[in-house]
Amino acid sequence: MKKLKNEELNRISVSAFKEAEKAPLVLVLDNIRSLHNIGSVFRTADAFRIQSIYLCGITACPPHREIHKTALGATESVHWKYFPSALDAIEELRKENYIIAAIEQAANSCYLNRFIPEKTNKYAFIFGNEVMGVEENIVEKADLCIEIPQFGTKHSLNIAVSAGMLVWDFFSKTQNNPI
């Protein structure tokens, strides 16, 4: 066994990425404070060819040096759009027939391992502020809440970690993975 070099990974170019078919998933980042978290989500979105990222509220937008540190160029490949509020983003997503899922610990939430996305539907996952989570008025507008089961003493996971888990789970359950 040997570690592969970057040129052996057969990655596509940014222009090929933009033309390629995308996973029917939009990630909505609502009031995310950490520029490193934002950059990490861009990198995850690139890795799994996610449709788009919607940046809402105080969430910073590219180009930004601190976002670039963790995105490593993914802000150039992944489509993104800014909305003054997540409610505005939800309104647009509803018009495009997305199923809205708040990623939050809530009454009647669906544990991630029990969430079975339908391959014919489009989904939007809303991630909230690092301290406050997804706001109550956004949770009320969601079609469902997805919760990552946790068994330790802490009440939450880092937004970038949560996004990575949700995107991989969605990808593995919906895509015809060639691997």
Side-chain angles (χ1 to χ4, degrees), residues 45 53 70 87 89 94 108 137 140 150:
I53 296 176
T70 48
L87 291 173
R94 288 247 184 258
N108 301 313
N137 64 335
E140 291 170 0
Q150 297 172 55

Side-chain angles (χ1 to χ4, degrees), residues 78-102:
V78 176
H79 175 267
W80 63 270
K81 189 173 181 178
Y82 175 77
F83 293 86
S85 81
L87 291 173
D88 297 332
I90 289 171
E91 186 176 315
E92 180 169 304
L93 290 162
R94 288 247 184 258
K95 289 177 186 173
E96 297 177 21
N97 298 315
Y98 278 83
I99 294 172
I100 311 297

Side-chain angles (χ1 to χ4, degrees), residues 94-146:
R94 288 247 184 258
K95 289 177 186 173
E96 297 177 21
N97 298 315
Y98 278 83
I99 294 172
I100 311 297
I103 310 308
E104 188 56 83
Q105 299 163 355
N108 301 313
S109 63
C110 175
Y111 278 159
L112 179 58
N113 55 309
R114 294 186 179 139
F115 171 62
I116 308 297
E118 294 184 31
K119 291 183 180 189
T120 57
N121 288 335
K122 300 183 293 186
Y123 291 85
F125 292 165
I126 303 176
F127 297 89
N129 177 272
E130 292 92 337
V131 175
M132 303 306 294
V134 180
E135 294 177 21
E136 186 67 37
N137 64 335
I138 304 301
V139 170
E140 291 170 0
K141 297 281 186 191
D143 298 307
L144 71 147
C145 286
I146 300 173

